[in-house]
Amino acid sequence: MAKLPDHVPELHVKDIHVPGWLGEFRAFLMRGNVVDLAVGVIVGAAFTAIVNSLVKDIFTPILGLLIGGIDFTNLFVTLRGPHLATLAEAQKAGAVTLNVGLFLNAVIQFIIIGFVIFWVVKVINRLTVKKEAEKPATPPAPPRNEVLLQDILDVLKADAAAQKAATTPKA
């Protein structure tokens, strides 16, 4: 290891001041909830890609055939600039446009994605319910304090019955 020049002091780990919030931040990141959330975001991103492909590559072409191939992409209003036939030409010419057709396409895609996710969640819920139904349902044991209270009540009832029997005259 190379020796430092005399004018450079040696630093030791104990000499480095670590801010208190750094430990709190590390503890926050290592919580189970944050790790679960991170995994959920990653899985969600992958699931989003699958759903987008399902919508774009499967449902949108079928829907396009059913409605006669209507494409809203070129439905726009030019606010300033040349009035051209297609949105791509208008944007290339630098026109300021309200892209109504792109918005409608996004709304339609949102509705389709919502519909697909609804059915996927419905199927997952059915599978989950079937797995839960397969498990035998055993009632949980009552809490210890309820058991103790019941024992005390039984003792009090027995004492009351014994006192009643002792005070009742025998025939």
Side-chain angles (χ1 to χ4, degrees), residues 86-109:
T86 66
L87 178 61
E89 291 172 355
Q91 287 177 338
K92 189 174 182 180
V96 177
T97 59
L98 284 178
N99 304 325
V100 178
L102 293 178
F103 177 73
L104 287 174
N105 281 343
V107 169
I108 292 168
Q109 187 173 7

Side-chain angles (χ1 to χ4, degrees), residues 7-161:
H7 66 278
V8 177
E10 287 189 31
L11 290 176
H12 300 285
V13 174
K14 64 181 181 181
D15 294 336
I16 299 174
H17 173 70
V18 178
W21 62 265
L22 194 59
E24 290 178 41
F25 183 66
R26 189 184 80 215
F28 170 75
L29 287 180
M30 299 318 285
R31 278 184 168 160
N33 300 8
V34 174
V35 174
D36 290 344
L37 180 62
V39 169
V41 167
I42 292 167
V43 170
F47 186 70
T48 300
I50 292 170
V51 171
N52 284 339
S53 175
L54 179 67
V55 169
K56 180 182 169 193
D57 301 329
I58 306 288
F59 288 114
T60 302
I62 293 171
L63 186 63
L65 282 175
L66 293 176
I67 63 173
I70 297 174
D71 183 16
F72 296 115
T73 303
N74 289 316
L75 180 60
F76 65 97
V77 176
T78 304
L79 299 176
R80 187 179 70 205
H83 297 278
L84 299 170
T86 66
L87 178 61
E89 291 172 355
Q91 287 177 338
K92 189 174 182 180
V96 177
T97 59
L98 284 178
N99 304 325
V100 178
L102 293 178
F103 177 73
L104 287 174
N105 281 343
V107 169
I108 292 168
Q109 187 173 7
F110 173 77
I111 291 170
I112 294 170
I113 288 172
F115 185 72
V116 168
I117 289 177
F118 168 77
W119 284 104
V120 168
V121 169
K122 189 169 178 142
V123 168
I124 290 172
N125 285 341
R126 277 201 177 160
L127 294 174
T128 305
V129 169
K130 285 182 180 178
K131 286 182 180 179
E132 289 176 2
E134 292 173 3
K135 296 178 186 176
T138 56
R144 190 174 190 294
N145 60 353
E146 287 183 18
V147 173
L148 292 174
L149 288 172
Q150 187 62 45
D151 291 344
I152 292 170
L153 185 61
D154 292 343
V155 169
L156 290 174
K157 283 181 181 179
D159 285 346

